Amino acid sequence: MTRLLEIPAARTLRTADDLVKAGLAAEARELDAVMAAYATAITPGLAGLIDRGDAADPIALQFVPSLAELEVRLEEMPDPIGDKAHEPVEGIVHRYPDRVLLKAVSVCPVYCRFCFRREMVGPDKDSNLTPAELDAALAYIRAHPEIWEVILTGGDPFMLSARRAAALTRALEAIPHVKVIRWHTRMPVADPRKVSGEFVEAIRSRTKAVYVAVHCNHARELTADAKAALGRMADAGIVLLSQSVLLKGVNDSVAALADLMRGLVEARVRPYYLHQLDFAPGTSHFRVAVEDGQRLVRELRDAISGIAQPQYVIDIPGGVSKAVAALSDVDTGADGSRLRGRDGVWREYPTQV
Ligand SMILES: *Cc1c(COP(=O)(O)O)cnc(C)c1O
Ligand code: SF4
């Protein structure tokens, strides 16, 4: 197979013409309808990882627009996890008492074709918080002493400049009841150089615990640059977690999941969540059946280290909560309990009183 593009593109690919020039689409007009509906961006680093000779390249599948996105199924929804149902002020989602989401920006360095917030993110959505809205969101957090953790999400909050990220961190540090600041980002994978020493300095804290959850779906996303970015955060005392989405053709095999989770652990990232794909519009070509996900996760459990295990979760449509999707190793029936071992064998367990 030949690679059409040996030298990484110099800038982020955003238009159909960009994709054609980069050898990632055959004909520009064909994608017009998809690209009008959903934002597109592929950073030079990720574009450079794509094997042009492989029609099913797992990096291309995640970022290159596809006509399959025009097929919207009945069960798919513009706001699949019900953010809007729990939004007391603009930019805050308060679903669980002790933690809130704070969505400061609605832009991302790349746009994932399966994004659960695809109707809300993009450069033309114009829903970045204004300074006044951000002040109101911070005032809400200040006024609610039960908020123990603030989860910065979006869009991608690492799109903030180092100066604005520092200002946000300082504002949260000044709220005594907030103990944990958690960032959710794809930046270490999408544009690792943006996670500069200056940016890391901006988000680290001496008074609060800082966690960064990195969105990563395939081992190949963990390039040397990505690992260096993760290393800069780990060295600064930031605790690293991961979030992955179970995606057909990208990571729906035990081997792909094992490579991904091991790669994360090697980069000092503790796997956190493996998400069942939400019902966002035009994403059915990525969907893996829950029963298949359960089988994969069980086989993964049997195959690799405990510290490399993500929790398989499903967001209940409409915004109730997450549900734990993994099968249990405990089977309790009328005649007592059985436990399943890593060898796959079920063994009787003494009945307790
Ligand atoms: C997933 C989610 C959280 C965070 O949940 P954790 O289980 O603590 O990671 C918080 N708020 C909302 C609305 C969520 O969807
Ligand atoms: S980085 Fe996250 S918010 Fe942005 S497009 Fe991807 S899944 Fe959506």
Side-chain angles (χ1 to χ4, degrees):
M1 293 290 149
T2 50
R3 275 172 170 265
L4 295 178
L5 197 81
E6 296 293 345
I7 306 158
R11 58 180 181 80
T12 295
L13 311 173
R14 296 185 187 277
T15 67
D17 283 337
D18 291 345
L19 296 176
V20 172
K21 282 195 197 111
L24 294 174
E27 210 262 297
R29 298 290 72 81
E30 187 182 287
L31 291 173
D32 277 353
V34 183
M35 297 185 69
Y38 306 112
T40 298
I42 313 177
T43 52
L46 286 174
L49 286 180
I50 296 171
D51 180 351
R52 270 69 173 172
D54 178 2
D57 180 274
I59 310 295
L61 287 177
Q62 292 185 70
F63 304 111
V64 178
S66 148
L67 291 177
E69 293 169 52
L70 296 177
E71 187 194 328
V72 177
R73 298 275 177 94
L74 268 176
E75 63 276 18
E76 294 177 341
M77 301 162 264
D79 179 18
I81 70 166
D83 280 352
K84 289 287 169 210
H86 299 89
E87 198 167 318
V89 296
E90 191 70 31
I92 292 272
V93 183
H94 198 175
R95 187 200 279 171
Y96 306 118
D98 71 334
R99 54 213 194 273
V100 290
L101 306 185
L102 170 49
K103 299 192 279 183
V105 297
S106 57
V107 287
C108 300
V110 281
Y111 292 101
C112 311
R113 307 320 301 177
F114 48 84
C115 175
F116 64 128
R117 296 203 178 107
R118 60 189 328 206
E119 301 284 346
M120 280 80 91
V121 300
D124 56 351
K125 298 293 177 195
D126 197 28
S127 47
N128 292 338
L129 291 191
T130 63
E133 286 168 337
L134 185 57
D135 282 347
L138 290 167
Y140 179 89
I141 295 167
R142 235 175 261 123
H144 287 80
E146 71 275 22
I147 298 173
W148 170 84
E149 178 183 23
V150 175
I151 302 169
L152 301 167
T153 178
D156 191 328
F158 274 34
M159 291 294 275
L160 293 171
S161 66
R163 187 181 56 78
R164 292 184 63 206
L168 187 50
T169 299
R170 301 294 91 79
L172 293 171
E173 280 178 334
I175 305 175
H177 55 266
V178 172
K179 307 295 185 193
V180 179
I181 304 171
R182 187 197 327 172
W183 299 76
H184 279 204
T185 179
R186 208 153 178 25
M187 195 66 84
V189 160
D191 191 0
R193 281 155 211 258
K194 172 79 203 321
V195 191
S196 62
E198 186 196 5
F199 191 86
V200 173
E201 200 50 47
I203 63 167
R204 75 190 294 195
S205 174
R206 282 172 185 80
T207 55
K208 309 289 181 185
V210 179
Y211 283 70
V212 169
V214 186
H215 175 182
C216 181
N217 301 321
H218 194 275
R220 268 171 47 210
E221 294 169 35
L222 295 167
T223 60
D225 280 350
K227 287 181 190 157
L230 294 167
R232 284 191 286 281
M233 291 192 282
D235 287 346
I238 293 169
V239 185
L240 301 176
L241 306 171
S242 71
Q243 283 195 298
S244 307
V245 184
L246 182 59
L247 296 167
K248 191 196 249 170
V250 175
N251 57 21
D252 62 333
S253 70
V254 177
L257 288 172
D259 284 352
L260 170 61
M261 300 306 161
R262 282 185 172 143
L264 288 164
V265 169
E266 289 165 23
R268 293 189 276 171
V269 181
R270 171 71 171 91
Y272 179 47
Y273 277 150
L274 176 65
H275 292 273
Q276 176 71 9
L277 182 69
D278 295 311
F279 285 104
T283 58
S284 60
H285 53 300
F286 285 116
R287 200 152 286 119
V288 176
V290 172
E291 307 80 78
D292 293 334
Q294 289 176 317
R295 181 182 48 77
L296 287 169
V297 165
R298 173 165 270 177
E299 286 180 32
L300 189 71
R301 181 75 182 94
D302 295 347
I304 65 171
S305 169
I307 61 172
Q309 304 294 334
Q311 241 197 101
Y312 181 34
V313 290
I314 308 178
D315 260 287
I316 301 175
V320 182
S321 72
K322 292 174 181 65
V324 174
L327 297 169
S328 175
D329 282 340
V330 185
D331 175 31
T332 305
D335 319 327
S337 297
R338 300 185 309 152
L339 300 181
R340 183 185 174 280
R342 293 285 86 86
D343 54 4
V345 177
W346 289 92
R347 294 177 177 82
E348 300 302 321
Y349 185 65
T351 309
Q352 295 159 351
V353 267

